[in-house]
Each structure stands twice: as C-alpha cells, then as structure tokens.
Amino acid sequence: MSGGVHFHDHHGNGPRSPRPRQLPLEVRGFVNRTAELAELNAVLTDENEDGGDRAVSVCVIAGTAGVGKTALALRWTHQIQERFPDGQLYINLRGYDPGAPVGAYDALRRFLIALGIAGDEVPNNTDDAAALYRSLLADRRMLVLLDNANAVAQVRPLLPGNSRCLVVVTSRGRLSGLAVHDGAHRITLGTLPDPDAVALVRAVTAGFRSADDDEKLSELARLCARLPLALRIAAERAVTRPHTGLDELIADLRDESALWDTLDTGDEEESGAVRSVFSWSYRALPDDAARMFRLLGLHPGADFGIAAAAALAGISVRRARHLLDVLVGAHVLEQTAPDRFEFHDLLRAFASDQARQEEPRGGQEAALRRLLDWYLHTADAAQALVNPGEERVALDPPAEGVSPPAFSEYDQAVDWSERENTNFLPVVRAAEKAGFDRHAWQIPVVLWNARGPYTIVSPRRRRGLRHAGDGRLRRVRRRSLAGPAPVQPRRDPQPARAAPAGTRGDPPEPR
C-alpha cells in the first residue's frame, strides 16, 4: 500500500492497530497563502483541550484547476498531522482526470485495507464498507485527505462518524451539499495576488536568476494568469535558460499565447493561459523527452512505473528513467514514489492531446500494443511465482522493445499486483476499445490464473474485468468466473492444481 502502514498500541493498551501515514510529500517551494492557512488553523481552535469533538470536522478547499488546492492542503495537513496520533489517510479521487474517477467503494476498500482489514474481509457493497469504516474510526483521531473530488457522492461515504477526525477535501466544485448537510467549512482559492505570484517565481528560480526584474516577473506572472501550476512550469523553463533575458522568454510565451488565442473557443482566461504555458514548456523539451511525454498520455491508468513507461516508448528502463527525470524536472510530471509517476489531470489531458496530434495512428497503436504486451507478460510472470503449478496461457511473444520482468520472489509478484491494482481494468478497457481482442480477454484470464494477485482486485473491479470485452470474458471457462479464490498469505504460494480446458489460445466458444 502506498504511504506505508505502521503499528502502534492504541491509547497505550489493547491490541495493536495499523497507523497509516499516507500523506504525500509537500510541494517544493510553497509560498504565501498565509491568510488561507490562518483560516484553516482557526478550525482547529474549536476542539476541546483534551482532543475531543470540534465544531467543524470537514474542510473543503475549492478553486479552479491549477490554482494550488492540493499544495495548500498538503502544506496544512503536514503542519497539523501531529494533532491526529492515529495516522493519516490519503486518496486522489481523480474527479477531473480524463479517465473514470475513483468511486466511493474503491476508496473505502483501500482505506479499510490500510486500517488492517484483510482484502477478503472487506464488505462487497458501499453501505456495509462505509459502516465498517466508521466503526474502525469511532475511537480514533485521524486525518483524512480526499484530493480532487468532483461530487458529494464521492465524499460522503468516506466521512468518519466522529468529529475528532478531520477530513480535508479538495475540489474544483463548491460541494455545497457538504456545507449544508455535513457542516463543512469551505475556502475558495483565487489566483495569486501579483506580489505573491512574483514571490513564487523567485522561489523556484532562486540561485539561478536572482537578477530578474520584478516588473518583468510580474508580466510573466500575468501571462500565466497567476496560477501556481502554470507559474511553476514557466519558472522552471526560465531556470533551464539562465542566460536568456526575461524579455525573450516573455516574448516566446506571448507568441504561444497568441497562437492559443486564435484557436480558443471561448474558454475562460485561466484555461487559455494554462494551455499556453503547457505548450511553451512542451516545445522546449528535448525531442526524446517530448515523445515520452506525449506517449505517456496514452497510458490508460492513473499512474505508472518506469518499466511501463519504457514499454510504451519501446526503450530501455535505464533510458526511460532518464527521460522521466527530465519531465519531473520540467514540472510536467509528478513523482509519487521511487518508481511511480503520475500527471496532474490537466497535463495528462494535454499529453493525450499531443499524442493524437503528433503521433501517427500506427505509432499510437504500436505504443499501446507494447504497453498491453508488458502488462500481459508481466502478469504471466507473476503467475509463474504465485501459482507455479497452474497451466499457463499460451501467449504470443511480446512486441519488440518490451522486456517484462522476471520475478525472483513470491512477494515481488504480489507487490507488483498491488501497485498496478487500479490499472488492470483501464488497461483491459483500452485493449477492448483499440481492438486488441486477445489482450482484452487474456490479461484478465492470466490475472485470474495468478489467483493470489488477482484476489487483491476489489470485487467491483473484478466484475468489471469479467465483463470487459463485450462478452468475451463470459465465454472463458466457468471456473475462472465462478468467484474469487481465497487470499493466500505472502510467502506461502497456493498448491498447484490442474487447469481445466479453455486456458490456451483463443477463448472457448459459448456452449
């Protein structure tokens, strides 16, 4: 599980319970927002001195895309986390990603597992899972950060039943229902005032461009609509050209803005500014890094590892690591763990758009085929460790440029499945949509045969996998679709068993 789980003796006695510490790292170079931080801190003054109930237990940070909602939430939650000794839970609900948002049930399942519930003991419906979640938090003081929510229905099942816990929600919407029915306190972020925007640019460029003029920095900030996301990207571009005058950089960005203005269809000013900055930064990337950026826009999942990125681009893992470092350094990609990366939802949409515009259709299909082959053959390698006696599905060789890992230990195979859990269904759906029929049924069947990793997938996602492919999986052997296999302890693979017919080649015909 991301964020790790630590164990402690609750209130000094009784059985040990998990203490999740899931907050991501703070944004580097955070500046200003002092008034908003003070307003948020005022919420905490309502609690009793002994840590009892507080008047407000839900805070909503709302604002337009790229305005710094997550950065503010992370700054504040890191500052106050010691007030919540039972730990912190975090999830990105992906309410505005190009793909499907995270549903309340899937979020509950992840939280329950982080709180010590075994995967096969998680209730299989939202109401029961939410009831168990509230029971587990009834006597705890826990901090919960729900990032990028797009609807009250995503959030309400994740609210604890006691007001000693604090829930922080970020959203582009107002989520008025939480204020009306749940007593939420809402802060709406605006774009940065001009002095604060200039201070942010100076914080990012510190040590590289100390002689830049405040008036010119103000013009640069205006072209970025004073949005923190756009400001950080523009400032990083300035860092990479320390000997280029601001006048030239501003002229380049102004030219890019003019191009977008001619293509604009009436979107708000902030949206046009963000597109301009994205394009300006993207065009400054080295060719191979720009190709990696746009190909990553084809990945159907929420996040990805280095090996998956290497497969998409058809390059070595070593080369992929270097290019990902370039993208992280340009602030167009976020690194969430030593081997995990994700896009801001706006940048993911931009990358996908660039792939459609600049990659020939055959190149897009070849990249997706490499990615699907990587998932398929990596799942097959996991099967070999988790259930070595199971008859293997006959697979075509992977495409050129794809090097699936060879797991050496059982735990490595299960860990890979945990990390990629949320990507399995989007990958299968992408295969179906692109017409890669064999991948659309073989990936779920191989995952099922691996059994140990497959049982990590939630029941709802498992049902989605079963029905992916417009009925193809319903034609797969009956045993594969009968129900989840029991979860096995790590380091104790299941005994071998014979596989029924129908696990090789194309799926069997309907009976």
Side-chain angles (χ1 to χ4, degrees):
M1 295 294 298
S2 63
V5 176
H6 303 273
F7 292 86
H8 71 148
D9 190 343
H10 189 62
H11 297 310
N13 51 46
R16 297 197 309 166
S17 57
R19 185 189 180 206
R21 304 294 297 269
Q22 296 186 336
L23 288 182
L25 291 174
E26 292 187 66
V27 174
R28 179 176 62 88
F30 182 92
V31 297
N32 306 308
R33 298 296 191 190
T34 53
E36 290 86 352
L37 287 169
E39 184 176 347
L40 289 168
N41 283 331
V43 171
L44 298 180
T45 63
D46 292 330
E47 68 181 345
N48 298 333
E49 291 184 1
D50 62 356
D53 293 349
R54 64 174 58 84
V56 174
S57 57
V58 181
C59 291
V60 176
I61 301 174
T64 191
V67 80
K69 301 180 295 294
T70 299
L72 175 63
L74 288 175
R75 166 54 64 99
W76 188 50
T77 52
H78 274 279
Q79 289 178 347
I80 66 173
Q81 61 181 313
E82 297 308 319
R83 291 174 178 255
F84 300 90
D86 294 312
Q88 313 97 38
L89 294 169
Y90 169 85
I91 190 167
N92 184 347
L93 293 172
R94 305 189 183 281
Y96 304 94
D97 275 18
V102 177
Y105 177 82
D106 284 338
L108 282 166
R109 178 178 175 83
R110 294 187 214 177
F111 282 176
L112 289 172
I113 291 174
L115 292 168
I117 302 300
D120 60 340
E121 295 177 357
V122 175
N124 60 8
N125 66 80
T126 301
D127 289 344
D128 290 345
L132 177 57
Y133 170 72
R134 291 192 297 270
S135 297
L136 290 174
L137 297 189
D139 297 320
R140 304 190 193 191
R141 295 178 61 200
M142 187 163 285
L143 183 59
V144 182
L145 177 51
L146 308 177
D147 204 9
N148 293 311
N150 71 353
V152 171
Q154 263 187 311
V155 173
R156 186 162 285 136
L158 306 176
L159 300 181
N162 83 77
S163 58
R164 290 184 298 171
C165 294
L166 178 66
V167 179
V168 181
V169 185
T170 71
S171 178
R172 294 183 198 172
R174 294 173 59 83
L175 302 185
S176 297
L178 292 180
V180 173
H181 298 291
D182 303 285
H185 177 79
R186 183 174 60 227
I187 289 180
T188 300
L189 290 188
T191 58
L192 290 172
D194 191 71
D196 292 353
V198 171
L200 175 56
V201 175
R202 286 208 179 278
V204 176
T205 60
F208 297 92
R209 304 186 62 97
S210 57
D212 285 337
D213 178 71
D214 276 356
E215 187 173 337
K216 292 178 180 178
L217 287 176
S218 179
E219 173 65 8
L220 181 66
R222 188 192 66 77
L223 289 169
C224 296
R226 299 194 302 276
L227 285 167
L229 175 64
L231 286 165
R232 288 180 181 278
I233 294 174
E236 191 63 39
R237 171 82 186 276
V239 166
T240 63
R241 300 172 65 184
H243 303 297
T244 301
L246 268 184
D247 286 336
E248 183 177 343
L249 293 171
I250 289 170
D252 286 349
L253 182 51
R254 190 180 289 116
D255 289 344
E256 195 68 55
S257 299
L259 171 63
W260 279 106
D261 285 344
T262 64
L263 302 176
D264 196 22
T265 57
D267 290 345
E268 66 232 28
E269 178 185 353
E270 290 89 350
S271 178
V274 167
R275 287 197 302 269
S276 298
V277 173
F278 287 177
S279 181
W280 183 58
S281 181
Y282 169 71
R283 295 177 196 279
L285 293 170
D287 288 345
D288 49 359
R291 176 177 178 268
M292 173 65 87
F293 174 81
R294 60 181 179 265
L295 289 180
L296 289 173
L298 301 177
H299 192 293
D303 66 348
F304 46 85
I306 295 174
L312 256 176
I315 59 179
S316 69
V317 169
R318 181 177 180 180
R319 183 61 181 161
R321 187 186 304 275
H322 168 72
L323 295 179
L324 292 171
D325 285 344
V326 171
L327 298 179
V328 170
H331 287 277
V332 296
L333 189 66
E334 300 173 34
Q335 184 166 4
T336 58
D339 184 30
R340 304 300 294 180
F341 300 83
E342 67 179 19
F343 282 120
H344 185 286
D345 50 28
L346 292 177
L347 282 159
R348 183 181 175 195
F350 181 80
S352 178
D353 186 58
Q354 295 308 121
R356 288 192 295 269
Q357 291 183 25
E358 299 186 32
E359 289 291 322
R361 184 175 182 84
Q364 296 179 53
E365 291 178 351
L368 181 59
R369 165 65 188 272
R370 289 192 297 268
L371 181 69
L372 295 174
D373 276 359
W374 182 82
Y375 272 103
L376 177 60
H377 286 269
T378 305
D380 187 58
Q383 177 191 349
L385 262 292
V386 174
N387 202 1
E390 188 82 22
E391 187 175 3
R392 308 278 286 280
V393 177
L395 305 178
D396 292 335
E400 184 178 356
V402 178
S403 301
F407 300 111
S408 60
E409 298 178 359
Y410 177 86
D411 279 6
Q412 289 180 344
V414 177
D415 285 344
W416 174 80
S417 294
E418 288 178 342
R419 289 192 300 271
E420 297 292 342
N421 178 26
T422 59
N423 287 332
F424 293 145
L425 183 54
V427 163
V428 171
R429 285 176 172 166
E432 165 67 14
K433 183 178 180 180
F436 290 104
D437 295 344
R438 286 175 68 86
H439 294 85
W441 74 263
Q442 285 183 337
I443 291 174
V445 170
V446 169
L447 285 169
W448 184 267
N449 284 352
R451 301 182 71 81
Y454 188 65
T455 57
I456 294 169
V457 181
S458 71
R460 184 168 296 185
R461 183 168 290 113
R462 194 152 52 234
R463 288 194 293 273
L465 281 169
R466 290 173 183 172
H467 295 292
D470 192 24
R472 288 176 178 82
L473 295 185
R474 291 193 290 274
R475 300 201 298 269
V476 179
R477 54 186 164 78
R478 293 178 181 273
R479 185 180 72 85
S480 292
L481 305 180
V487 176
Q488 297 298 311
R490 291 194 174 195
R491 305 186 187 282
D492 184 20
Q494 294 186 7
R497 66 183 70 198
T503 60
R504 293 181 174 275
D506 290 325
E509 293 300 317
R511 297 179 180 178

